[in-house]
């Protein structure tokens, strides 16, 4: 079964600085998708960025980018020029689309604090 | 506006009672999901449905039941068999297929009193 591990329960960054959140996963599949979701204090889940395993180019969305290392099964999120509004819980997720399945498997999350 | 709506936002239940959490979507999505969120454990999948009148157990289905009689609706019943029901429950929906973003409701906080 696929698993997703986030080894940093909490992180802190100064405003305008850069922070990297780690995520590793385990799968025997060769084609899959990976996602980062943000959950602010409102608890509304928001998609930050997604990556297809077959694409070698790392995905970017404005200040958010990923470092996808397929062989190492690593999928880290880099937030540049951190803003106070980036403070939230961040979840890494694996898209399980094998056979008749269509579901997301989540890690345990990293709580990011942004210091002014 | 299109979206996914969960109700109520807060729910209190007495021990031994069943309670049903509502989830409605108007996004015309085929797939719907229920997740449970506890501190330090992330989101764990309870049940999911890929089509009307069909659903599958997730990782922690014991003590829960669902139905999918309409494409728009996927209610979750927390039964008295669920030993520790106090948690935050999130409903989500997505189109069928790969690379599909899951859209989430705003959640229901269930507390057993």
């Amino acid at each position: 079964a696929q698993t997703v591990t986030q080894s940093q329960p909490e992180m802190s960054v100064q405003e305008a600085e850069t922070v990297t959140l780690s995520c590793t996963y385990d799968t025997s599949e060769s084609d899959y998708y990976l996602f980062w979701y943000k959950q602010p204090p409102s608890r509304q889940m928001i998609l930050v960025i997604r990556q297809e395993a077959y694409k070698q180019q790392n995905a970017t969305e404005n200040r958010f980018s990923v470092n996808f290392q397929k062989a190492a099964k690593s999928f880290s999120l880099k937030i540049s020029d951190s803003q106070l509004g980036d403070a939230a819980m961040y979840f890494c997720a694996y898209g399980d689309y094998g056979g008749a399945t269509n579901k997301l498997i989540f890690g345990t999350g990293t709580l990011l604090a942004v210091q002014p | 506006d299109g979206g996914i709506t969960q109700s109520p936002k807060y729910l209190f239940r007495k021990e031994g009672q069943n309670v049903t959490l509502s989830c409605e979507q108007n996004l015309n999505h085929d797939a719907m999901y229920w997740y449970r969120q506890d501190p330090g454990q992330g989101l764990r999948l309870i049940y999911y449905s890929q089509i009307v009148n069909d659903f599958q157990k997730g990782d922690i289905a014991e003590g829960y039941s669902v139905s999918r009689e309409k494409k728009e609706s996927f209610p979750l019943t927390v039964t008295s068999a669920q030993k520790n029901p106090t948690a935050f429950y999130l409903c989500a929906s997505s189109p069928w297929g790969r690379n599909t973003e899951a859209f989430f409701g705003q959640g229901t906080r269930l507390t057993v009193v």
Side-chain angles (χ1 to χ4, degrees):
Chain A
Q2 293 86 358
T3 58
V4 176
T5 302
Q6 294 179 251
S7 59
Q8 305 155 315
E10 297 182 13
M11 293 280 286
S12 181
V13 63
Q14 291 292 129
E15 199 174 1
E17 296 295 309
T18 295
V19 64
T20 299
L21 309 184
S22 301
C23 174
T24 58
Y25 59 94
D26 187 26
T27 184
S28 58
E29 302 293 326
S30 59
D31 188 19
Y32 48 88
Y33 288 83
L34 296 164
F35 305 83
W36 277 99
Y37 278 85
K38 170 184 177 180
Q39 188 181 45
S42 68
R43 306 200 80 168
Q44 178 69 55
M45 295 284 283
I46 303 164
L47 177 67
V48 175
I49 200 165
R50 78 186 83 190
Q51 173 80 42
E52 180 177 1
Y54 262 106
K55 289 187 176 178
Q56 295 186 349
Q57 186 173 7
N58 289 325
T60 62
E61 289 287 343
N62 300 314
R63 298 182 294 106
F64 298 87
S65 61
V66 299
N67 183 5
F68 174 51
Q69 302 289 328
K70 190 173 183 180
K73 296 180 181 176
S74 170
F75 182 59
S76 61
L77 174 70
K78 185 171 83 170
I79 306 174
S80 303
D81 186 25
S82 296
Q83 301 175 0
L84 295 177
D86 295 333
M89 182 73 84
Y90 286 83
F91 291 99
C92 177
Y94 171 95
D96 182 0
Y97 304 115
T101 301
N102 189 43
K103 61 184 180 181
L104 292 175
I105 300 168
F106 287 86
T108 52
T110 296
L111 181 62
L112 178 67
V114 180
Q115 308 299 330
Chain B
D1 288 351
I4 182 164
T5 302
Q6 289 186 243
S7 62
K9 189 172 183 178
Y10 299 97
L11 189 57
F12 296 88
R13 190 196 89 173
K14 292 183 179 180
E15 285 194 28
Q17 287 183 337
N18 293 355
V19 64
T20 297
L21 283 59
S22 171
C23 179
E24 303 276 335
Q25 55 100 358
N26 59 4
L27 300 167
N28 198 33
H29 287 168
D30 291 307
M32 296 188 74
Y33 315 82
W34 275 106
Y35 288 91
R36 170 177 170 146
Q37 185 175 8
D38 297 283
Q41 297 198 52
L43 277 69
R44 293 182 291 166
L45 184 63
I46 305 172
Y47 268 99
Y48 62 104
S49 168
Q50 298 158 348
I51 195 170
V52 173
N53 292 323
D54 186 44
F55 47 83
Q56 289 78 40
K57 293 182 179 180
D59 300 319
I60 56 166
E62 185 176 352
Y64 300 96
S65 66
V66 294
S67 63
R68 187 87 186 275
E69 297 177 359
K70 299 186 300 181
K71 187 175 185 178
E72 304 79 23
S73 179
F74 191 43
L76 173 74
T77 297
V78 184
T79 75
S80 56
Q82 170 49 236
K83 295 289 186 274
N84 184 21
T86 294
F88 187 67
Y89 292 87
L90 280 163
C91 180
S93 70
S94 71
W96 180 252
R98 307 171 69 80
N99 190 27
T100 54
E101 174 186 352
F103 292 80
F104 286 81
Q106 292 196 308
T108 294
R109 172 69 184 178
L110 173 64
T111 303
V112 173
V113 296

